[in-house]
Amino acid sequence: MSKTVIVVIDGFGIGAMPDAGALRPGDIAADTCGHILDHCRKELERPLRLPSLGALGLGLVHGHPDLARTTRLPVAVGRAALGYPGADTYAGHQTMMGADFSKVTVARLGEHLDEVRAALEAAGHRVAELNGRPLLVVDGCVLIHDNLEADPGINWNASGSLDDFPFDHILSIARTVRTVAPVARVIAVGGHADGPLPGFVRDGENGTYGLDTPATGFYRNGGLEVQHLGAPLDHTRQLPDLAARAGVPVTLVGKAADILACDAAVRRPAVPTADVLAHTLDAVRTPGPGLIVANVQETDLAGHQQDVLRYGEVLEQLDAGLAELIALLDAPGDRLVVTGDHGNDPTIGHAFHTREYVPVLIHRPEATGLEFLPDAPSLADVGATAALSLGLSPSGLANGAPIRAA
């Protein structure tokens, strides 16, 4: 009857991986956690209040004066490498749930305009380029463009204003693009913008060109609709489907509801951290066993906006919610796993993700004390560890092995 809750703090890294500087040399200095703690202490003239993260052992895997270096909670603590190229939310979550995502094709839309245009025209759409730039305008309003929030060439977007078309129309266009796209995901995005979308188009890094989605107002104006169309994966060999087939109820919260596949799952999409926490706590209070995967997205949004104080504010809000989860998940066999999917250091000088290790903090009520875990080579090992806690065989996953105590 135990529950396993995985809380993914989106964009929360604890220090650069050795290859972090391959794309941007300066990223070798990335440290999302440390830099946020330093900056917030300076600007707020006090440390961030993160007692729950401290008690879960964050300070044991990322030493910092503002984090507790001891804990009385029965936790296992360590860190994980990402286990996939780049630093991307979709690839991170798919990998964490057990997919082998080690091979991600990187491609800019401008390198594939002809085949994308041909597929869209064959599906009956009107297609034009925007002022001769590597971006397509479909049916006069929907933009097909490079995703400027991820590393260059990882993802493409199909973005449209819901004042022009219903989301189903934008999604249909994205599905057509998906049939010919070589990238990890095509993201359908619909929202209410502050003006015509072409006014928010800009150059990105490394020859990319696309919509500045945060600048449009999509995230602020309410009604945001998003669907992630990933590269083909065997979702039956990922943790949510494995759990559901074993009779374990699955709940996907926040961005996890948008990007993880499981037909049997209860989905609770949300962006505000308060809503993510409320949905997660409701799922935990539901009697019986369960797997709950929750994504706290506002940390990542603050990273993209290079807003360090906002990032710190969200961490404090999350920390209060973690205290409630720790109190509720008190039965033998229950697990609370707190981790990340990549870094997003808002002090590094750009608005992209950073390739960092992420924490692996596991609360185990029946354990007798603290355990230190070895570095996991992949986020897939987090999913395999969670499978084991649910009494499932990790061999049912396509990738990953349980993390064993050192």
Side-chain angles (χ1 to χ4, degrees):
M1 302 296 288
S2 62
K3 284 186 168 65
T4 291
V5 179
I6 302 174
V7 175
V8 183
I9 310 176
D10 204 315
F12 190 62
I14 56 171
M17 289 175 54
D19 59 354
L23 178 62
R24 291 177 292 271
D27 282 10
I28 200 65
D31 179 0
T32 302
C33 177
H35 290 157
I36 287 168
L37 290 171
D38 291 341
H39 186 90
C40 287
R41 172 182 271 276
K42 179 180 178 181
E43 294 298 317
L44 299 174
E45 298 183 345
R46 64 166 177 83
L48 285 181
R49 300 183 179 100
L50 305 175
S52 299
L53 284 167
L56 288 168
L58 179 59
L60 299 171
V61 297
H62 186 288
H64 191 279
D66 293 344
L67 294 172
R69 296 304 302 268
T70 61
T71 179
R72 295 182 179 180
L73 289 183
V75 294
V77 300
R79 65 178 187 171
L82 301 185
Y84 64 88
D88 176 66
T89 294
Y90 180 82
H93 281 69
Q94 302 302 334
T95 299
M96 191 184 302
M97 293 300 106
D100 183 359
F101 227 74
S102 59
K103 296 181 180 179
V104 174
T105 300
V106 177
R108 294 153 187 79
L109 177 64
E111 300 163 352
H112 297 270
L113 285 180
D114 289 344
E115 53 261 53
V116 175
R117 178 196 288 268
L120 288 165
E121 289 178 341
H125 297 287
R126 294 179 291 110
V127 185
E129 292 184 28
L130 181 66
N131 301 323
R133 304 305 297 273
L135 180 152
L136 299 178
V137 183
V138 183
D139 297 338
C141 297
V142 178
L143 306 185
I144 310 301
H145 59 93
D146 292 307
N147 181 302
L148 302 185
E149 296 174 71
D151 279 330
I154 294 291
N155 308 314
W156 299 347
N157 281 23
S159 302
S161 171
L162 297 177
D163 297 316
D164 295 322
F165 284 119
F167 185 66
D168 284 348
H169 187 82
I170 300 167
L171 180 58
S172 175
I173 291 170
R175 285 175 170 152
T176 299
V177 175
R178 174 73 273 177
T179 64
V180 293
V183 293
R185 55 180 164 152
V186 173
I187 310 171
V189 183
H192 297 286
D194 294 333
L197 293 188
F200 301 101
V201 168
R202 64 173 175 83
D203 289 312
E205 283 198 358
N206 292 49
T208 55
Y209 188 70
L211 187 69
D212 186 342
T213 305
T216 64
F218 276 7
Y219 296 133
R220 301 188 306 272
N221 294 337
L224 180 69
E225 295 193 59
V226 179
Q227 189 159 332
H228 299 254
L229 307 177
L233 295 172
D234 185 357
H235 296 296
T236 67
R237 300 196 64 193
Q238 291 186 282
L239 181 60
D241 208 85
L242 184 68
R245 293 200 310 274
V248 178
V250 177
T251 303
L252 305 176
V253 181
K255 198 171 182 178
D258 297 327
I259 60 180
L260 295 178
C262 179
D263 290 341
V266 174
R267 297 181 184 274
R268 296 287 183 259
V271 174
T273 301
D275 293 347
V276 171
L277 290 171
H279 290 317
T280 303
L281 289 163
D282 284 347
V284 171
R285 293 186 182 107
T286 302
L291 168 67
I292 300 108
V293 183
N295 172 282
V296 178
Q297 186 182 1
E298 286 191 302
T299 43
D300 191 53
L301 296 179
H304 287 306
Q305 294 159 3
Q306 299 175 274
D307 188 340
V308 187
L309 292 179
R310 175 59 182 156
Y311 200 124
E313 180 184 4
V314 176
L315 283 179
E316 289 189 331
Q317 184 180 11
L318 167 63
D319 195 271
L322 291 176
E324 294 186 70
L325 287 172
I326 292 168
L328 287 171
L329 295 165
D330 61 352
D334 283 347
R335 293 291 183 271
L336 171 61
V337 182
V338 178
T339 187
D341 52 352
H342 50 73
N344 195 340
D345 188 337
T347 73
I348 204 69
H350 61 73
F352 294 107
H353 295 158
T354 42
R355 187 164 167 81
E356 299 179 53
Y357 291 102
V358 296
V360 181
L361 313 175
I362 307 174
H363 180 241
R364 313 152 305 154
E366 77 283 0
T368 56
L370 170 68
E371 291 187 33
F372 286 94
L373 302 172
D375 284 354
S378 171
L379 284 171
D381 294 353
V382 176
T385 304
L388 199 62
S389 74
L390 288 165
L392 307 174
S393 173
S395 65
L397 304 174
N399 192 22
I403 307 170
R404 305 294 183 178

